[in-house]
Each structure stands twice: as structure tokens, then as C-alpha cells.
């Protein structure tokens, strides 16, 4: 079913003209520990670098607020969220559960509204993370898919214009085109039927598959009935429909629209005749519900029978040598779907489990409970390394790292963002040794820069080192020149090394939060969400 928080966030980003990908957005909203809530929308918008402010105000003040905004309403004793587009002295325009804009009277809206709204302000940096790369990948896939379809279409047109049917009686040409169009319609419906099998609660499918109150249109009831399952449920009517239209259309195109193949397909359409009354009986009498997809397929099959009969295609010589190819093309989709469907369902199941896992991991109470059980620091870190502090930070994070460590470099941006957001104090310790150790030079430089007491400059130096593609100490040293200060850092390096030995630090980065080691189930990137 369509999730209100997801739908509201999608509609809101669209109203703000911010590009997004549905998968990333759904993961952010559905994996939030407090989903469904306004906080799940609030925190998701923050990931798009959108400034947000949740307020509770009177109706008179709402008119002066910047639009669009998210409002909280109460429906059936539940809190829901709508995207408010416009408000005047008499009317309110908003997007509710779908993509349709709704206009209602201001008094009616005031009865639903709880007084809570979410205000936003975008800037030039407001966008989804790596959106350019994601959009390029999506566009490339669309181009490839369109190119494949176009090439098959061009190949089919060349085959068709060179076929004996095209150069035959004009009436035969008309019936052949009609046959091809019916096969394409049936194939498209078959694709939707297979889509229904793996994602029957998709809003697009549900909008088509269900009627209004009191309606007998219900694709779910028909397609999920035992009458729609064959061979103990291992074969479905949906798959048979797709296989029939795919195999017959493919065989027709491969054969160059041969009259012999048209003859076989004509007889095949006659064989399918009993399916129509059986399907109607099952829907009308047994299930007492109707499926729009099934009705379309019945109409297509009936039209195919009519085309085969009036065109006299079935009177042509049957090309028996083509029958094995036709049977193979009918069976290929069945085998392919049996292999593909588990992968599609597995991906869907994995996404559900991943979101559920994130929802648990990103709960601060869960992290704090695990931290209490993890290894605790026994030796004081006071006065060691580099400290970046915030007056109101709730968490004290210690990062033990190596200046040449790749994972340490990847962890740096996440921890720095948390520092800049005021959520953590960060203390950075290094595993370098005094003497000729390779790590000593850059670590001495970091400590010398920090010794000057210029915190922004220290952060910039760490950025320049860790965010660089190649760690070149000579280039770094020229950017931050020193006059003898490096030699004064040996004692600090020895103290950090002694602490690392005392705490048995075996790998970098090692992260401690409020004196306890970060559980192995968490990555540094997870801290962006949970802290």
C-alpha cells in the first residue's frame, strides 16, 4: 500500500523542484526509527540539505507561511501528512494520498488540521546525495532499453515489408497488421500480470485493479484465486498469458511473417476458444468478482479468433518444421520467469529486511544499550591527540586512526559532519611511533598545526590530507610550512602509542563512543543516522 510519509515526501520534493530517486527516498523514510511520523519526513529532508522547521501555529498565521509546506491532519483518529500548496481566505489546495490536487473549503480544512506544519527553505546545495550519478545511470538504462526496443522494431518492420504477406493481397495485409497489434496488446497485458505477481500492492496496479464502493471489479480476488493457479500453484494464468503472446509474436517475427506460421497461429487461436467461456464462468459464478486484465485478454483472444477466421489464414499450408521453434518460444518465458521471479522477490524481501534493520540500528536507545555491553576504555585519553569540541555535544567520540589508512579516510567526512552539526566532540588519536615510522611525519604535522589553537585550520588540514586522492606528505608539508615545531611532537606521539598499546588497539579506525567501543554491527556511516 502507498505509504503516506513516502508519498508526502515525494510530492513535497516535486513541489520544491528537487530531483530525487524513489529507492533512496523510500529507504530514508521507511528505515527511520520513528516512522511513520513527521520526524521521519523532517530527517529525510535534512539529508537533501533542506533547512526545515516544525512549528505549531494558528490558522491565521498559516496564511503567512511560505508555501509549499507539510501539514499534519487527523483522519480516522490517525495523524496523516499533506502537502499544502496554497491557502486563501476561503479555500485550501493540497496534495493528499495521491497525486491529485484537492481544493476544499478553509473551514473544512481547519477541522482536520492539528496546527502542526513543517516549513522549509531550499538552497543551491539542496539535492540528493550523488543524484547526478544516479540520474545518469537511470538515463543510460532508459536509453539502452529504448535502443533495444527500437532495433527490434526496425528489424521487424524490415522483415514485414520483405515478407510474402506484405506483397500479397491487401486484405491479407490488413488482417496481418491486426494480428500483430493484438499480439502486442496481449503481451503488454501479460507484462502487467507478471508485475502483479511480484508487486500486487503497487499503487499504480491497485488504482487500475479496483473499482469504487460496491464495485465487483477486483483483480486481487481473481488472480489470487485457486482457479488462477495450475499444477499446484507452480504455474499461473498470468505466466501462460505472457508466454502465449510472447512466443507467438516472436515466432511470427523470426519467421518473417510467413503465411505458414500465420496458419499455425490461426489454429492456436481456435484452440484457445474454450478459455473465454471458462474464464467468464469462473469470474461471474465462482469468484463473483471481475478482473480488468482478464476481460482485456478475453477480448484480445476473441478478436484473434475473428481475425483468424475471416482472414482464412488457417487454410494455408501448415509449416510443421516451425512447430518446434514455436513450442520452444512458448516455453522460454516459463523457464525464464521461474528463474527471474525468485530474484525479484528476494530483492524485495532484502529491501524490507534492510529497512527493518536500519530502523533498529538507527534507534539511539539500541546503540546505547549495545555500547554498555561493549569494551570500555581503561586508560584516560586526556590531553592526547587532536580534539574538536562542541559545548552542547551529547557524545564524545574517539577515533584511533592511521594517516595512511583507507577506511580511516572514508570515516573522516562522516565524523566531521557530526562535529560541524554540533552532535559530537571528536578526539583523534594516531597509532604512529616515534623514530623512523612512516606515519610519524604527517602525525607530527597534524599535532603541530593543532598546537597553534586554530581549530578551523586544524579541520582544514585534516580535510586536505584525508580527502586527497593520494597521500603525499611533501605536497601537504609545503601547504602548511613549519619551523622546528615538528621535532617538538615526539612526546605526544609516544604518549598516544603507549595508550594504543595499553588498550590493545589492533586495527584502524577504532571508534569509541562515550568510552565504549563502537559495536561491530555499526559502521561509521551509521553514526550519521543514529547520533
Amino acid at each position: 500500500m502507498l505509504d503516506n510519509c513516502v508519498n508526502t515526501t515525494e510530492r513535497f520534493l516535486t513541489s520544491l523542484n528537487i530531483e530525487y530517486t524513489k529507492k533512496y527516498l523510500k529507504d530514508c523514510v521507511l528505515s527511520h526509527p520513528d516512522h511513520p511520523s513527521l520526524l521521519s519526513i523532517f530527517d529525510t529532508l535534512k539529508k537533501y540539505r533542506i533547512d526545515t522547521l516544525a512549528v505549531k501555529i494558528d490558522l491565521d498565521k498559516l496564511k503567512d507561511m511560505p508555501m509549499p509546506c507539510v501539514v499534519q491532519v487527523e483522519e480516522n483518529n490517525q495523524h496523516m501528512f499533506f502537502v499544502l500548496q496554497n491557502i486563501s481566505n476561503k479555500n485550501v489546495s493540497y496534495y493528499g494520498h495521491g497525486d491529485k490536487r484537492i481544493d476544499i473549503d478553509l473551514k473544512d480544512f481547519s477541522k482536520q488540521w492539528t496546527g502542526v506544519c513543517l516549513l522549509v527553505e531550499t538552497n543551491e546545495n539542496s539535492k540528493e546525495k550523488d543524484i547526478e550519478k544516479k540520474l545518469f545511470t537511470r538515463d543510460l538504462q532508459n536509453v539502452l532499453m529504448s535502443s533495444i526496443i527500437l532495433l527490434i522494431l526496425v528489424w521487424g518492420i524490415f522483415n514485414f515489408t520483405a515478407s510474402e504477406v506484405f506483397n500479397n493481397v491487401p486484405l491479407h495485409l490488413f488482417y496481418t497488421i491486426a494480428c500483430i497489434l493484438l499480439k502486442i496488446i496481449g503481451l503488454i497485458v501479460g507484462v502487467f500480470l507478471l508485475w502483479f505477481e511480484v508487486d500486487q500492492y503497487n499503487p499504480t496496479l491497485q488504482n487500475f485493479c479496483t473499482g469504487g464502493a460496491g464495485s465487483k471489479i477486483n483483480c486481487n480476488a481473481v488472480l489470487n484465486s485457486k482457479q488462477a493457479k495450475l499444477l499446484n500453484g507452480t504455474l499461473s494464468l498470468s505466466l501462460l498469458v505472457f508466454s502465449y503472446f510472447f512466443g507467438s509474436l516472436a515466432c511470427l517475427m523470426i519467421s518473417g511473417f510467413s503465411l505458414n506460421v500465420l496458419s499455425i497461429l490461426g489454429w492456436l487461436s481456435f484452440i484457445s476458444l474454450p478459455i473465454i467461456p471458462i474464464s467468464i464462468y469462473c469470474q461471474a459464478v465462482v469468484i463473483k468478482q471481475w478482473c480488468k486484465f482478464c476481460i482485456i485478454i478475453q477480448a484480445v483472444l476473441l478478436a484473434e479468433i475473428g481475425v483468424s477466421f475471416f482472414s482464412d489464414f488457417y487454410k494455408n499450408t501448415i509449416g510443421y518444421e516451425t512447430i518446434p521453434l514455436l513450442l520452444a518460444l512458448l516455453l522460454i518465458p516459463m523457464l525464464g520467469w521461474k528463474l527471474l521471479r525468485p530474484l525479484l522477490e528476494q530483492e524485495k524481501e532484502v529491501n524490507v529486511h534492510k529497512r527493518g534493520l536500519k530502523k533498529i540500528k538507527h534507534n539511539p536507545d539500541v546503540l546505547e544499550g549495545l555500547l554498555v555491553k561493549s569494551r570500555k576504555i581503561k586508560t584516560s585519553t586526556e590531553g592526547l591527540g587532536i580534539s574538536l569540541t562542541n559545548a552542547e555535544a551529547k557524545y564524545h567520540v574517539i577515533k584511533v586512526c592511521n594517516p595512511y589508512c583507507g577506511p580511516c579516510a572514508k570515516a573522516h567526512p562522516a565524523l566531521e559532519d557530526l562535529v560541524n552539526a554540533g552532535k559530537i566532540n571528536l578526539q583523534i588519536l594516531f597509532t604512529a611511533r616515534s623514530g623512523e615510522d612512516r606515519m610519524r611525519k604527517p602525525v607530527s604535522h597534524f599535532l603541530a598545526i593543532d598546537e597553534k589553537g586554530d581549530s578551523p585550520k586544524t579541520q582544514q588540514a585534516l580535510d586536505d590530507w584525508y580527502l586527497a586522492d593520494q597521500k603525499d606528505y611533501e605536497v601537504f608539508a609545503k601547504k602548511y610550512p613549519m619551523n622546528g615545531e615538528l621535532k617538538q611532537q615526539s612526546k605526544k606521539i609516544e604518549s598516544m602509542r603507549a595508550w594504543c598499546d595499553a588498550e590493545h588497539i589492533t586495527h584502524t579506525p577504532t571508534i569509541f563512543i562515550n568510552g565504549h567501543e563502537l559495536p561491530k554491527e555499526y559502521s561509521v556511516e551509521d553514526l550519521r543516522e543514529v547520533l
Side-chain angles (χ1 to χ4, degrees), residues 128-265:
E128 184 174 307
K129 183 181 178 182
D130 298 329
I131 185 63
E132 293 85 2
K133 182 179 179 181
K134 294 175 183 177
L135 291 178
F136 175 78
T137 302
R138 186 186 68 185
D139 292 342
L140 180 61
Q141 290 174 344
N142 291 337
V143 169
L144 291 174
M145 180 62 69
S146 301
S147 299
I148 292 171
I149 294 174
L150 180 62
L151 290 171
I152 292 175
L153 184 61
V154 170
W155 171 73
I157 292 173
F158 276 122
N159 269 3
F160 182 64
T161 55
S163 68
E164 55 185 324
V165 172
F166 187 80
N167 299 294
N168 212 316
V169 182
L171 192 59
H172 278 184
L173 178 61
F174 168 78
Y175 282 127
T176 304
I177 293 175
C179 179
I180 294 170
L181 291 176
L182 289 171
K183 296 292 184 187
I184 292 174
I185 293 171
L187 183 62
I188 292 172
V189 176
V191 170
F192 278 100
L193 285 169
L194 293 182
W195 182 15
F196 184 91
E197 281 197 7
V198 295
D199 193 14
Q200 61 180 299
Y201 296 112
N202 183 281
T204 303
L205 294 175
Q206 287 301 312
N207 287 338
F208 179 81
C209 288
T210 55
S215 172
K216 290 192 174 183
I217 299 296
N218 189 342
C219 296
N220 298 33
V222 177
L223 296 176
N224 290 322
S225 66
K226 63 180 182 180
Q227 287 78 18
K229 309 295 182 182
L230 305 173
L231 301 178
N232 294 324
T234 58
L235 190 62
S236 65
L237 288 178
S238 300
L239 181 55
L240 283 178
V241 167
F242 178 83
S243 299
Y244 171 78
F245 288 106
F246 174 86
S248 56
L249 180 61
C251 185
L252 189 59
M253 295 178 67
I254 292 173
S255 68
F257 303 93
S258 164
L259 288 172
N260 292 336
V261 173
L262 284 169
S263 176
I264 297 173
L265 298 183

Side-chain angles (χ1 to χ4, degrees), residues 375-381 384 400 429-431 433 493-506 510 512 517:
R375 177 164 69 112
K376 186 178 181 180
I377 292 176
K378 298 178 180 179
T379 311
S380 174
T381 61
L384 298 179
V400 185
L429 307 182
F430 299 94
T431 57
R433 300 176 183 274
I493 292 176
E494 290 173 2
S495 298
M496 285 191 294
R497 185 67 236 182
W499 182 90
C500 291
D501 292 339
E503 293 296 329
H504 305 289
I505 302 300
T506 58
T510 300
F512 295 91
E517 186 174 2

Side-chain angles (χ1 to χ4, degrees), residues 307-341:
V307 168
S308 300
F309 180 79
F310 290 108
S311 65
D312 292 334
F313 284 151
Y314 67 95
K315 294 182 179 179
N316 294 317
T317 304
I318 296 177
Y320 292 103
E321 70 281 358
T322 311
I323 293 179
L325 173 63
L326 175 60
L327 292 176
L329 292 172
L330 291 173
L331 293 175
I332 285 174
M334 296 184 186
L335 176 60
W337 183 243
K338 289 299 177 184
L339 298 174
L340 181 61
R341 180 176 177 176

